[in-house]
Amino acid sequence: MPSSAPRHPADKNAVVVSGPDTDLTAEELHRWSNRLARMLLGMGATAGAPIAIAIDSPVEAAVAERAITKVRGIPQPIENGVLPAGAVLGITHRARRTSLTDEVRWLILDEPATLRRYLVGSDSTITVADRSA
């Protein structure tokens, strides 16, 4: 899991996250994480809540981490299959989901319904009003 990408890099076109198949610029990370943050808010994500991350892709993990911080949640990677204490939401893929607990509500990134919602969701900046809606 990456630590955190730069918050406000000087060049929005600078690559801030790299993976085996793709790179993300600062602007792309911002837009992608806004879409995911809106989905988390729709699932009931709240400030201060730990949100589990069970994602192998470094690019998708960085997007998830940034989205969680945008909703003021606490990104918590799944380590050794152990769910973070207090987590009620999590982000993963279908391949990992079968080995994970049912104790949290999982956002499964590669489910067709999730992909559709993600692709049509707004990528505008998350506001205080968004977080309190």
Side-chain angles (χ1 to χ4, degrees), residues 36 39-40 43 54-55 60 90-98 100 102 104-118:
L36 188 56
M39 294 177 77
L40 291 170
M43 292 176 70
I55 302 172
E60 289 179 306
I91 305 170
T92 193
H93 288 102
R94 282 186 285 195
R96 295 268 318 257
R97 176 62 188 98
T98 58
L100 299 168
D102 291 332
V104 301
R105 185 171 174 205
W106 291 101
L107 176 61
I108 303 172
L109 294 177
D110 54 349
E111 287 285 329
T114 302
L115 291 169
R116 281 191 296 277
R117 287 188 355 236
Y118 183 81

Side-chain angles (χ1 to χ4, degrees), residues 40-109:
L40 291 170
L41 289 168
M43 292 176 70
T46 58
I51 300 175
I53 302 174
I55 302 172
D56 297 324
S57 162
V59 170
E60 289 179 306
V63 172
E65 181 180 334
R66 181 60 58 90
I68 293 166
T69 61
K70 286 182 178 194
V71 301
R72 304 285 196 258
I74 303 167
Q76 296 287 311
I78 296 282
E79 295 181 17
N80 301 320
V82 177
L83 185 67
V88 294
L89 293 176
I91 305 170
T92 193
H93 288 102
R94 282 186 285 195
R96 295 268 318 257
R97 176 62 188 98
T98 58
S99 66
L100 299 168
T101 181
D102 291 332
E103 295 176 37
V104 301
R105 185 171 174 205
W106 291 101
L107 176 61
I108 303 172
L109 294 177

Side-chain angles (χ1 to χ4, degrees), residues 18-23 59:
S18 293
D21 297 324
T22 191
D23 296 327
V59 170

